[in-house]
Amino acid sequence: MIRDPETQTLLEEGVRRFIKEVLIPREEEVAETDQIPADVIAQMKEIGLFGLSLPEEFGGLGVTMEEEVRIAFELGQTSPAFRSLIGTNNGIGAMGIYLDGTDEQKQAYLPRLASGELIGSFALTEPEAGSDAASLRTTAVRDGDHYILNGTKRFITNAPEAGIFTVMARTDTSIKGAGGISAFIVEAGTPGLSLGKIDKKMGQKGAHTCDVIFTDCKVPAANLIGNREGVGFKTAMKVLDKGRLHIAAVAIGAAKRMLGDALEFAMNRKQFGHPISDFQLVQGMLADSKTEIYAAECMVLDAARQRDEGKDVSIQASCAKYFSTEMCGRVADRAVQIHGGSGYVSDYAVERFYRDVRLFRLYEGTSQVQQVIIARGLIRGAAI
C-alpha cells in the first residue's frame, strides 16, 4: 500500500541519490577495511534510514510493507553492509518490541532505535539450533525481579555494534518445543553478556556477526517482551515473516545492480570486432536475468500489498524469499560469466557481489526451510 505516491517517489529518489553519490563510492573502502565509515553512518542517521519502518510516534517514518520493499529495491543496489547496519533496526532488531512489547518497552527503546542512537540485534540462532530454532537451549530462570540467562547465540548480525539484543530463551524447560520460549530485551554491557570474535565470512565485509554469550546474565523481569512467558517463538515468527519480504526485496536490488553492471560491460567489451552484447548467447543470459528479476519483483510487491491488507502472508513471504534469493544467485553467476575473466578479479564489483549475495539464501531461513514452510502451509490448507 502506497499512502502518498508523491511522497514515496521523493523518498525513493532521495535514497537512490544517496546510494549513487555516497554509498557506491565507498564500497571499496568498506570491503578493504571491513568497517562502515563513521561519516557515512552519521549521514544514514540524518536522512532517517534507521527508522524507516518504525512508527512516526517513535520518531520513524512508519512506511508500509509495500513502501519498505520499494526502498529495499534501492538499498540492495550497493554493498549489503550498508543495508545490514540499518536493517536490524527496521526489522528483526526492533519489530519484536514494536509488535509485542509493552508501552513502557516501546517508549524506552523504539525512539533510540529509530534515530540510530541504538543498534538492535536479534539473538535466536544457536550452535545447535539454526533451522530448528524451536530446539534452542539458552535458558532464562526467574529469580525474584530478574531472570538469569545462560547460553550461547551464534552468527548474530550487528552484535559487535548492538546497544540492545532481542534474545530468545527457554523459560520452561519442561516444554521441549516452541511453547517454552520467551523473548527478552538485553542491553549491551549487562554483566554476564559477552561477545565472541567477529566472524571471518566469505563476503559481506563491513556487516559483522559474532557469538553472543550469556553467563549468569541478570536481566530485569521488566525486560520480558510483553511481560508474558512462552510467546517468544511466536514473536520471532511474526518478525521473520516481515524480514523475509525485506530480504527478498534486497536480493532483487542486488540482482538489478549486477544486471546493470553486466549490461554495461557487455556493451563496451569487444570481441571479434563487436561488443559482446551483440552475441546471442550473451543476450540470452541478459534476458534470463531481466525476466527473473521482473518475476521476483512482482511476487514481492504482491505479497507486500497483501500483508498491508492484514492478510496472513506466511506462505507468500517464504515463496518470495525463496524465489528472490535463489534468483539473485543465478543472476550473480551469469553476471560473472558475462564479465569473463574480469568477473573473477576484484577490479569489478561483480566479484564482490558474487560472494556477498550467497548469504541471502541462508539467513532469515534457508531456501530449504522456506520449501518446508510453503509445503506445510499447503498441506494444512488442504486438510481444513
Side-chain angles (χ1 to χ4, degrees):
M1 177 180 67
I2 303 295
R3 297 168 297 172
D4 183 338
E6 184 177 353
T7 299
Q8 179 67 17
T9 298
L10 290 173
L11 181 56
E12 290 177 32
E13 289 176 349
V15 171
R16 191 177 303 123
R17 185 166 55 252
F18 179 69
I19 289 168
K20 181 180 180 180
E21 297 177 359
V22 178
L23 300 187
I24 290 177
R26 307 295 286 273
E27 289 176 348
E28 190 73 21
E29 180 182 349
V30 171
E32 291 179 357
T33 65
D34 195 24
Q35 296 287 339
I36 299 176
D39 65 301
V40 172
I41 296 174
Q43 291 180 74
M44 291 165 74
K45 291 178 180 178
E46 186 177 341
I47 65 174
L49 291 182
F50 285 90
L52 287 170
S53 301
L54 295 173
E56 294 179 40
E57 64 184 293
F58 299 114
L61 296 181
V63 297
T64 66
M65 193 73 245
E66 182 180 355
E67 291 168 345
E68 180 179 335
V69 298
R70 287 183 178 276
I71 295 167
F73 291 155
E74 304 298 333
L75 292 171
Q77 297 189 50
T78 183
S79 169
F82 298 119
R83 198 282 325 167
S84 183
L85 185 65
I86 67 170
T88 48
N89 280 33
N90 287 294
I92 57 179
M95 280 297 141
I97 300 172
Y98 170 59
L99 292 173
D100 288 340
T102 65
D103 289 340
E104 293 79 6
Q105 290 165 351
K106 294 175 184 179
Q107 292 294 339
Y109 296 108
L110 293 184
R112 297 163 68 195
L113 287 163
S115 69
E117 176 190 345
L118 283 179
I119 300 297
S121 190
F122 183 73
L124 173 62
T125 300
E126 297 182 0
E128 301 299 326
S131 297
D132 183 15
S135 69
L136 65 84
R137 298 179 182 178
T138 297
T139 59
V141 178
R142 185 70 182 252
D143 182 17
D145 292 334
H146 291 79
Y147 284 87
I148 308 301
L149 272 62
N150 282 282
T152 298
K153 300 295 183 178
R154 179 144 295 171
F155 306 136
I156 305 305
T157 300
N158 286 342
E161 292 79 26
I164 62 167
F165 299 84
T166 299
V167 182
M168 301 296 154
R170 193 169 294 283
T171 47
D172 189 341
T173 55
S174 68
I175 301 175
K176 299 303 180 184
I181 297 171
S182 303
F184 296 87
I185 303 166
V186 183
E187 297 186 6
T190 301
L193 186 159
S194 59
L195 303 178
K197 63 180 178 63
I198 295 176
D199 299 316
K200 292 184 179 180
K201 304 189 300 297
M202 178 192 296
Q204 299 217 11
K205 297 293 185 182
H208 300 145
T209 64
C210 71
D211 285 3
V212 180
I213 304 154
F214 301 94
T215 307
D216 294 330
C217 182
K218 197 173 183 180
V219 178
N223 284 24
L224 172 67
I225 291 182
N227 284 336
R228 293 177 62 200
E229 290 189 3
V231 295
F233 194 76
K234 292 181 180 179
T235 296
M237 293 305 102
K238 284 189 281 187
V239 168
L240 288 173
D241 268 354
K242 182 178 186 296
R244 285 165 180 157
L245 287 175
H246 180 91
I247 293 299
V250 171
I252 290 165
K256 288 183 175 183
R257 165 70 182 276
M258 291 185 290
L259 176 58
D261 286 358
L263 176 61
E264 181 180 6
F265 183 88
M267 293 177 70
N268 288 285
R269 171 66 168 165
K270 291 187 177 181
Q271 291 288 283
F272 307 103
H274 295 274
I276 63 171
S277 59
D278 286 352
F279 303 143
Q280 288 184 333
L281 292 178
V282 172
Q283 292 174 354
M285 289 188 283
L286 293 169
D288 284 350
S289 296
K290 175 61 179 178
T291 301
E292 291 193 65
I293 291 169
Y294 178 50
E297 190 169 5
C298 291
M299 182 183 291
V300 169
L301 287 170
D302 178 68
R305 288 167 185 151
Q306 289 190 52
R307 188 180 187 278
D308 284 338
E309 292 169 0
K311 296 178 181 178
D312 179 359
V313 294
S314 180
I315 292 177
Q316 290 86 343
S318 286
C319 288
K321 201 272 183 182
Y322 173 43
F323 182 82
S324 299
T325 57
E326 291 286 338
M327 172 277 295
C328 187
R330 292 190 293 271
V331 171
D333 191 71
R334 295 185 196 116
V336 170
Q337 197 72 11
I338 290 169
H339 279 75
S342 298
Y344 203 70
V345 297
S346 59
D347 293 352
Y348 290 85
V350 70
E351 180 272 338
R352 185 181 68 250
F353 270 91
Y354 183 81
R355 290 180 287 107
D356 287 346
V357 304
R358 185 60 182 83
L359 186 57
F360 292 159
R361 293 154 63 191
L362 300 175
Y363 61 16
E364 305 260 0
T366 65
S367 292
Q368 288 66 43
V369 166
Q370 306 311 322
Q371 289 175 308
V372 170
I373 292 170
I374 295 163
R376 286 179 177 173
L378 289 173
I379 292 166
R380 278 197 305 272
I384 294 175

